Amino acid sequence: DKPFVPINCAAIPETLIESELFGHEKGSFTSAIDRRIGHFELAHGGTIFLDEIGELSLAVQVKMLRFLQEREFYRVGCSKPVKVDVRVIAATNKRLEDLTREKKFRQDLYYRINVINLEIPPLRDRFEDIPLLVKHFLDKYSSLYGERQLVFLEDAMNVLAEYSWPGNVRELENVVESQMALCPHLEVSEADL
């Protein structure tokens, strides 16, 4: 019942990320016509999910590190700190250990966020999850396609299990949605794929 605030760090331009995360005061820069609450403050009492944390610039990483150590931050254009209580979950598709060696990710920040590390193997290494994921995506897209009820036949599931999935789960989701949109019948076979 607490806030869950997801933010895709890769999708926000470098010039705006600090304002998005920490907020800003009115007049702190040209287009700051009002005070804006940042994502950390919006997540107070709950969880912030930092997707693609490996994409943050070193300058923002310094501010992130300070926040994680002190549990406070400064809005852009404000000299008074804001304290918040949030759980931070971070995800990345990059190996942060490699980025720290290349000096593209701060080692101290890496150790600060690496409290509990869950490594999820790529889909090609867990083909047994494919039937569950296919069912999930069929349920997810059914309402968007007129409550259509597709069934993937055994030969189609075998093709999915043998594929290497370079695009991982997102690629599988796109395959399922494309079948929802384009398959001329309700049973998806190997030939349809």
Side-chain angles (χ1 to χ4, degrees):
D1 63 341
K2 301 294 183 182
F4 178 80
V5 179
I7 183 167
N8 183 340
C9 299
I12 300 171
E14 172 67 26
T15 55
L16 296 178
I17 189 80
E18 185 179 354
S19 176
E20 288 293 315
L21 292 174
F22 304 119
H24 63 256
E25 294 295 324
K26 179 179 179 178
S28 59
F29 50 88
T30 307
S31 59
I33 56 174
D34 287 315
R35 179 182 191 204
R36 184 176 190 287
I37 302 299
H39 290 346
F40 276 100
E41 203 166 347
L42 291 171
H44 180 63
T47 302
I48 188 164
F49 174 57
L50 300 170
D51 196 11
E52 300 300 344
I53 194 168
E55 300 296 327
L56 289 176
S57 71
L58 291 171
V60 175
Q61 289 177 37
V62 169
K63 292 176 180 168
M64 182 75 65
L65 179 64
R66 184 189 184 289
F67 166 75
L68 292 171
Q69 289 173 340
E70 307 298 328
R71 295 291 181 186
E72 68 181 24
F73 60 88
Y74 292 88
R75 283 191 206 103
V76 176
C78 184
S79 59
K80 181 180 165 192
V82 177
K83 280 198 161 298
V84 293
D85 177 23
V86 298
R87 174 188 307 119
V88 177
I89 299 175
T92 183
N93 66 353
K94 297 181 176 181
R95 296 196 54 80
L96 293 182
E97 300 92 339
D98 296 340
L99 292 178
T100 59
R101 276 192 294 282
E102 297 167 14
K103 306 284 190 227
K104 294 178 181 174
F105 198 85
R106 292 182 57 99
Q107 188 176 38
D108 48 1
L109 179 57
Y110 169 72
Y111 289 121
R112 177 63 66 181
I113 64 172
N114 195 22
V115 176
I116 299 172
N117 188 348
L118 302 175
E119 189 162 329
I120 300 173
L123 188 56
R124 69 181 160 274
D125 294 341
R126 52 190 176 102
F127 61 89
E128 66 278 1
D129 289 351
I130 290 174
L132 295 170
L133 289 166
V134 167
K135 181 180 180 343
H136 168 73
F137 295 134
L138 287 171
D139 292 345
K140 177 180 177 179
Y141 289 109
S142 176
S143 64
L144 293 174
Y145 292 93
E147 301 303 327
R148 194 158 193 233
Q149 298 295 314
L150 282 187
V151 174
F152 277 66
L153 298 175
E154 186 176 345
D155 66 337
M157 289 301 249
N158 289 338
V159 168
L160 297 179
E162 292 169 6
Y163 183 64
S164 65
W165 298 107
N168 222 333
V169 175
R170 288 183 183 117
E171 184 179 8
L172 175 62
E173 181 176 8
N174 289 341
V175 167
V176 172
E177 186 180 10
S178 72
Q179 291 303 313
M180 289 292 280
L182 301 174
C183 189
H185 33 270
L186 294 178
E187 294 182 333
V188 179
S189 69
E190 179 179 3
D192 296 310
L193 295 174

